[in-house]
Amino acid sequence: MSFSIAKMAKDARKASFSVANLSTAQKDAALSAMAAKLVERTDLILEENERDLVAGKENGLTDAMIDRLRLTPERIQDLANALTEVTQLPDPVGAIADMKARPNGMQVGKMRIPLGVIAMIYESRPNVTAEAAALCLKSGNAVVLRGGKEALYSNLVIAKCLHEALVEQNIDPNAICVVPDTDRAVMNELMTLSDDIDLIIPRGGEGLIRFVTENSRIPVIQHFKGVCHLYVDAGADIQMGLDLLLNGKTQRTGVCNSLETLLVNQEIAEQFLPLAAKAMAEKGVKIHACERSIGYFENAEAATTEDWDAEYLALEIAVKVVDDFDASIEHLEQYSSGHTEVICTKDYARANEFVRRVNSAVVMVNASSRFSDGGQLGLGAEIGISTSKLHAYGPMGLESLTTQKFVVMGNGQIRS
Amino acid sequence: MSFSIAKMAKDARKASFSVANLSTAQKDAALSAMAAKLVERTDLILEENERDLVAGKENGLTDAMIDRLRLTPERIQDLANALTEVTQLPDPVGAIADMKARPNGMQVGKMRIPLGVIAMIYESRPNVTAEAAALCLKSGNAVVLRGGKEALYSNLVIAKCLHEALVEQNIDPNAICVVPDTDRAVMNELMTLSDDIDLIIPRGGEGLIRFVTENSRIPVIQHFKGVCHLYVDAGADIQMGLDLLLNGKTQRTGVCNSLETLLVNQEIAEQFLPLAAKAMAEKGVKIHACERSIGYFENAEAATTEDWDAEYLALEIAVKVVDDFDASIEHLEQYSSGHTEVICTKDYARANEFVRRVNSAVVMVNASSRFSDGGQLGLGAEIGISTSKLHAYGPMGLESLTTQKFVVMGNGQIRS
């Protein structure tokens, strides 16, 4: 019998009604059981992972890709630990906020409830399978996981372990579904199943996210790219500006919260840019500089319009001198990717104005853009980052996997 | 020169940056000026409205449709009063919630900000134009309003008045854009402009909403239909059940929060249904009854599967006897439209369980479904009702037109 994604989504929908009503204790017990099962089944998981590794090598995956794919006893233990950590996160489900009395005596409030069924489409490491399953379960959602072809055997064996744990805990195993058929047609059908899937979270390259956004009938959390800016204001602490630049650009590259553009107020350019040039040169950072800043750098390339939109994900940065504070805001209005922007300033009014006027998901004063992630901001584990404003904006923790319904407690009120 | 919706959306985007930063006092002053201007320009508005009325009659609109289209001095005054009322609503923008210190001393909180540019696509009365414009302005958003062809002259003259008021208040008039070309191709193009429009709210029949949902590249607030249920529990107060039934079904029909299905616990059916039958007969309500209830009604039709999905919007109701409490929940899991469900009960545990397990946007205990609207629930004016869980669920007030960004206040923190 051939695989039916429509049936899988229906089964997940059915399971979603029961997982929505599990108590926090039941969910935490299940998460602990899932963690224990992964460790217990280490040998089996390594065996299946080996099949993916062999196929990956045959198909010419790079060493870096093979490494991302590889599971080891240590990595499996880390994964189990990650699931155990989810038990420590507060359960958002069931909280009632803002309960207020209406003039007719009805009490009206809002109760937090799971979204229902969440589909994850991802390309990357098999641990996403277990981590996403854990976060969806803790927030009372069922999940449909569609990982990449290269990790299929690993994903399926992880699902098998998680199912064993769920069944032992008397939880419908369809709460966690791994799509066993990575054919594109199956993914395309998945994106049409709006009756049974409430949200799609794609994780991967911009191509994947655009493809899902443009083809899905189901709401999609969009995270296109992070073109994070640091604006060094007139009168800023020079050393702090350098620290934020260096940390933002070089502490880790290849991540969405690293800096991609440096904006410098013209009043401080002459003081700041020579030191910035030195710091960047020491780290081997390639510079794309505007006309007014290029003279400060050795071997800088002239920045083109594309550079203001570029997410280098590498030791490269665009640099622009701006006339004044307002010009930095205007640059951001035009080029912000909606991810993270930082101001380095000593000025109270401009700090407040930057926070108020810049409408990216994360706006920071005097802190490194590298803190822009769910863990660092205190959300616990992160299921994704949204750079569009609908439903969630910025790093998404458990609460982003829920919504609020209205609850009305009356004693016979009717409308006249 | 021909009209360009792309240019209009770009102009709205530009205006959105400035309206996002208006103070509450500035926005309220603009709303008052808009209200005054509508009254001041009553003669002009009536003149333009007359053009729509003449065309409407020529095009064979029904008397009811003509009446919905017609503006009078009184209705214009009502509209002005509605705008003035918006000045009384709290401004959601700028509120910072949950500001907390991280271990490294950074303060992290969430600030409420406007969504940006909202597009409304609607078929109905010209007052939607002014009311939606007012709610979007108060929440700091720019708006693109695409009303129906039949109200075009009325919508354009209202926009002209609102623009005059905005200009007098030094606000970019592109904050309120009315699409002057009601050609379908223009609407189709609008739905692709995801760079400049953040959200589409369609208001109208199910056909319009499906069309927008299926064709939009921009997130859409979905409100398909309201199939509201009343479940009368075993042991319920019979008179209260009758009151809720009568009020829910007959106080006003043709609205999405009127009752469409009555579920009755079998233990109370023999007591409740004869009285319900009498009450429904007195109001001339047509009954679609299940096998177990049909005997209680005169002239009832046998319910088919379609009846459990039907939004009659008329003096008709579907009736079903269920075995027990769980069977009522299962019926709702299968047939709920996600709008509003009511339980009539005296039982504490079942009241709580109904509230917990039913995942519609509005869940009520012992209160009429007719209270399921923004005004009645205390949100002030309502911009729409969402029956899908993403971003907003249920009646949407000003807060639903905003999102939250993360705000980080540091003093030089970098990540190690």
Side-chain angles (χ1 to χ4, degrees):
Chain A
M1 207 182 73
S2 76
F3 169 72
S4 161
I5 184 72
K7 179 172 182 311
M8 176 175 269
K10 271 204 190 321
D11 290 343
R13 169 66 77 204
K14 193 154 174 289
S16 76
F17 293 121
S18 59
V19 292
N21 288 291
L22 296 174
S23 69
T24 307
Q26 288 172 308
K27 292 185 282 193
D28 288 344
L31 290 165
S32 298
M34 284 156 59
K37 190 63 74 176
L38 289 176
V39 175
E40 188 189 320
R41 292 272 190 257
T42 293
D43 290 345
L44 177 67
I45 294 172
L46 294 178
E47 232 170 72
E48 294 297 302
N49 181 241
E50 185 63 27
R51 294 174 69 180
D52 284 330
L53 294 174
V54 168
K57 283 172 197 158
E58 276 171 12
N59 293 321
L61 294 192
T62 63
D63 286 355
M65 289 161 91
I66 290 285
D67 184 62
R68 279 152 50 102
L69 198 52
R70 186 186 305 282
L71 292 172
T72 63
E74 255 180 7
R75 286 180 179 184
I76 292 170
Q77 183 62 55
D78 287 348
L79 195 48
N81 295 347
L83 299 201
T84 307
E85 276 169 28
V86 175
T87 65
Q88 303 302 309
L89 296 176
D91 183 349
V93 175
I96 297 190
D98 304 326
M99 200 83 177
K100 283 180 190 147
R102 297 292 304 152
N104 67 1
M106 292 186 320
Q107 300 274 343
V108 178
K110 297 185 93 171
M111 181 189 274
R112 206 160 269 290
I113 57 172
L115 289 174
V117 179
I118 292 164
M120 297 272 307
I121 298 179
Y122 52 105
E123 296 166 335
S124 51
R125 303 154 301 157
N127 50 347
V128 172
T129 305
E131 286 167 1
L135 292 172
C136 289
L137 181 70
K138 179 77 184 229
S139 53
N141 293 287
V143 66
V144 175
L145 296 153
R146 194 278 190 190
K149 184 183 163 204
E150 67 284 357
L152 183 61
Y153 290 110
S154 310
N155 289 337
L156 288 174
V157 74
I158 289 171
K160 181 180 147 67
C161 297
L162 302 183
H163 284 173
E164 286 175 14
L166 290 179
V167 169
E168 284 171 20
Q169 299 285 320
N170 288 313
I171 295 174
D172 185 341
N174 291 320
I176 300 173
C177 297
V178 169
V179 180
D181 182 343
T182 56
D183 198 88
R184 198 87 189 218
V186 171
M187 182 167 88
N188 290 351
E189 187 183 348
L190 184 156
M191 294 189 290
T192 67
L193 303 172
S194 55
D195 283 344
D196 290 317
I197 297 176
D198 297 284
L199 177 66
I200 296 185
I201 304 179
R203 276 169 67 160
E206 200 176 338
L208 173 73
I209 294 167
R210 280 212 187 274
F211 180 78
V212 175
T213 301
E214 289 177 7
N215 291 283
S216 177
R217 294 278 180 86
I218 302 167
V220 177
I221 291 293
Q222 294 170 18
H223 172 189
F224 286 122
K225 56 182 184 177
V227 183
C228 303
H229 295 73
L230 167 64
Y231 165 62
V232 180
D233 193 25
D237 182 312
I238 299 280
Q239 187 56 47
M240 188 190 290
L242 291 171
D243 289 346
L244 297 180
L245 171 63
L246 209 62
N247 192 250
K249 183 67 258 183
T250 70
Q251 193 255 348
R252 194 167 160 205
T253 54
V255 288
C256 62
N257 61 11
S258 63
L259 287 179
E260 306 293 8
T261 301
L262 169 69
L263 301 174
V264 181
N265 188 297
Q266 62 161 345
E267 288 183 39
I268 204 172
E270 219 176 297
Q271 278 179 277
F272 184 73
L273 282 176
L275 297 168
K278 186 157 172 276
M280 293 292 96
E282 277 168 10
K283 291 285 184 177
V285 178
K286 182 171 169 187
I287 308 289
H288 304 264
C290 72
E291 283 187 8
R292 292 162 79 179
S293 62
I294 198 163
Y296 293 98
F297 297 94
E298 283 181 35
N299 306 319
E301 277 186 16
T304 64
T305 314
E306 285 79 56
D307 285 304
W308 310 130
D309 279 321
E311 186 186 32
Y312 300 114
L313 296 173
L315 286 174
E316 290 184 54
I317 195 165
V319 179
K320 185 181 188 180
V321 171
V322 293
D323 282 344
D324 52 22
F325 177 81
D326 281 338
S328 76
I329 302 280
E330 281 152 27
H331 184 93
L332 293 174
E333 286 176 355
Q334 192 169 358
Y335 296 108
S336 160
S337 63
H339 196 293
T340 299
E341 328 300 347
V342 180
I343 184 173
C344 179
T345 189
K346 284 183 183 168
D347 186 89
Y348 173 79
R350 287 196 294 271
N352 281 343
E353 198 175 341
F354 191 85
V355 164
R356 173 78 196 249
R357 287 176 66 185
V358 174
N359 64 7
S360 296
V362 183
V363 184
M364 298 179 159
V365 179
N366 296 340
S368 171
S369 65
R370 289 278 298 118
F371 288 114
S372 186
D373 101 19
Q376 297 294 326
L377 296 181
L379 302 183
E382 175 181 288
I383 190 102
I385 298 183
S386 169
T387 59
S388 67
K389 291 178 189 155
L390 268 288
H391 184 66
Y393 197 31
M396 295 171 63
L398 288 181
E399 198 172 277
S400 302
L401 300 179
T402 65
T403 189
Q404 287 181 307
K405 69 181 173 193
F406 286 87
V407 169
V408 179
M409 311 298 270
N411 44 27
Q413 283 85 352
I414 59 172
R415 191 160 166 189
S416 53
Chain B
M1 210 179 75
S2 74
F3 170 72
S4 160
I5 185 70
K7 178 171 184 311
M8 177 176 268
K10 272 207 188 318
D11 290 343
R13 169 65 77 206
K14 191 152 174 289
S16 76
F17 294 121
S18 57
V19 293
N21 289 291
L22 296 174
S23 69
T24 307
Q26 288 172 310
K27 291 185 282 192
D28 289 344
L31 290 165
S32 299
M34 285 156 59
K37 190 63 77 177
L38 290 176
V39 176
E40 187 189 320
R41 293 270 190 257
T42 293
D43 290 346
L44 177 66
I45 294 171
L46 294 178
E47 232 170 73
E48 295 296 305
N49 181 241
E50 186 62 28
R51 297 173 68 179
D52 284 330
L53 294 174
V54 168
K57 284 171 196 160
E58 276 172 12
N59 294 322
L61 294 192
T62 63
D63 287 354
M65 289 160 90
I66 290 287
D67 184 61
R68 279 154 47 105
L69 200 52
R70 186 186 304 282
L71 291 171
T72 63
E74 256 180 7
R75 287 181 178 182
I76 292 170
Q77 184 61 56
D78 287 348
L79 195 49
N81 295 346
L83 299 201
T84 307
E85 276 169 28
V86 175
T87 65
Q88 303 302 308
L89 296 176
D91 183 349
V93 174
I96 297 189
D98 305 325
M99 200 82 178
K100 282 179 192 150
R102 298 293 304 150
N104 66 2
M106 291 187 318
Q107 300 274 345
V108 179
K110 297 183 94 171
M111 181 188 274
R112 205 159 270 289
I113 58 171
L115 289 174
V117 179
I118 292 164
M120 298 272 306
I121 298 178
Y122 52 105
E123 296 166 334
S124 53
R125 304 154 301 155
N127 50 345
V128 171
T129 305
E131 287 166 3
L135 293 172
C136 289
L137 181 69
K138 180 78 184 228
S139 53
N141 293 286
V143 65
V144 175
L145 296 152
R146 194 279 192 191
K149 184 183 162 201
E150 68 285 355
L152 183 61
Y153 290 109
S154 309
N155 289 337
L156 287 174
V157 73
I158 288 170
K160 182 180 146 67
C161 298
L162 302 184
H163 284 173
E164 286 176 13
L166 291 179
V167 169
E168 283 172 21
Q169 300 286 320
N170 288 313
I171 295 174
D172 186 341
N174 291 320
I176 300 173
C177 297
V178 169
V179 180
D181 183 343
T182 56
D183 198 90
R184 198 86 188 218
V186 171
M187 182 167 87
N188 290 351
E189 187 183 347
L190 184 157
M191 294 189 291
T192 67
L193 303 173
S194 55
D195 282 344
D196 290 317
I197 297 175
D198 297 285
L199 176 67
I200 296 185
I201 304 179
R203 277 169 66 160
E206 200 176 337
L208 173 73
I209 294 167
R210 279 212 189 275
F211 180 79
V212 175
T213 302
E214 290 178 6
N215 291 283
S216 178
R217 295 275 181 87
I218 302 167
V220 177
I221 292 293
Q222 295 171 17
H223 172 190
F224 287 123
K225 57 183 182 178
V227 183
C228 302
H229 295 74
L230 168 63
Y231 165 64
V232 180
D233 192 27
D237 181 311
I238 298 280
Q239 188 57 47
M240 190 190 288
L242 292 170
D243 290 347
L244 297 179
L245 171 63
L246 210 61
N247 192 251
K249 183 67 256 182
T250 71
Q251 193 253 350
R252 194 167 161 203
T253 53
V255 288
C256 62
N257 62 11
S258 62
L259 287 179
E260 306 293 7
T261 302
L262 169 68
L263 302 173
V264 180
N265 188 297
Q266 63 162 343
E267 289 182 38
I268 203 172
E270 220 175 296
Q271 278 179 277
F272 184 74
L273 282 176
L275 298 167
K278 186 157 171 280
M280 292 292 97
E282 277 169 10
K283 292 284 184 177
V285 178
K286 183 172 171 185
I287 309 288
H288 304 263
C290 71
E291 283 187 7
R292 295 162 79 180
S293 61
I294 197 163
Y296 293 98
F297 298 93
E298 285 182 30
N299 306 318
E301 279 187 14
T304 64
T305 313
E306 285 80 55
D307 285 304
W308 310 131
D309 279 320
E311 185 186 33
Y312 301 114
L313 295 172
L315 286 174
E316 289 184 56
I317 195 165
V319 179
K320 185 180 190 179
V321 171
V322 293
D323 283 345
D324 52 21
F325 177 81
D326 281 338
S328 76
I329 301 281
E330 281 153 25
H331 183 93
L332 292 175
E333 286 176 354
Q334 192 168 357
Y335 296 109
S336 160
S337 62
H339 196 291
T340 299
E341 327 300 347
V342 180
I343 183 173
C344 180
T345 189
K346 283 183 184 167
D347 187 89
Y348 172 79
R350 287 195 295 271
N352 282 343
E353 198 175 341
F354 192 85
V355 165
R356 174 79 197 246
R357 286 177 63 185
V358 174
N359 64 8
S360 296
V362 184
V363 185
M364 298 179 161
V365 179
N366 297 340
S368 171
S369 65
R370 290 279 296 117
F371 288 114
S372 185
D373 100 18
Q376 297 293 324
L377 295 181
L379 302 183
E382 176 181 289
I383 191 101
I385 298 183
S386 169
T387 59
S388 67
K389 290 179 190 152
L390 268 288
H391 183 68
Y393 197 32
M396 295 170 62
L398 288 181
E399 198 172 278
S400 303
L401 300 179
T402 64
T403 189
Q404 287 181 306
K405 69 182 174 192
F406 287 87
V407 169
V408 179
M409 311 297 269
N411 44 26
Q413 284 84 355
I414 58 173
R415 192 161 167 187
S416 52

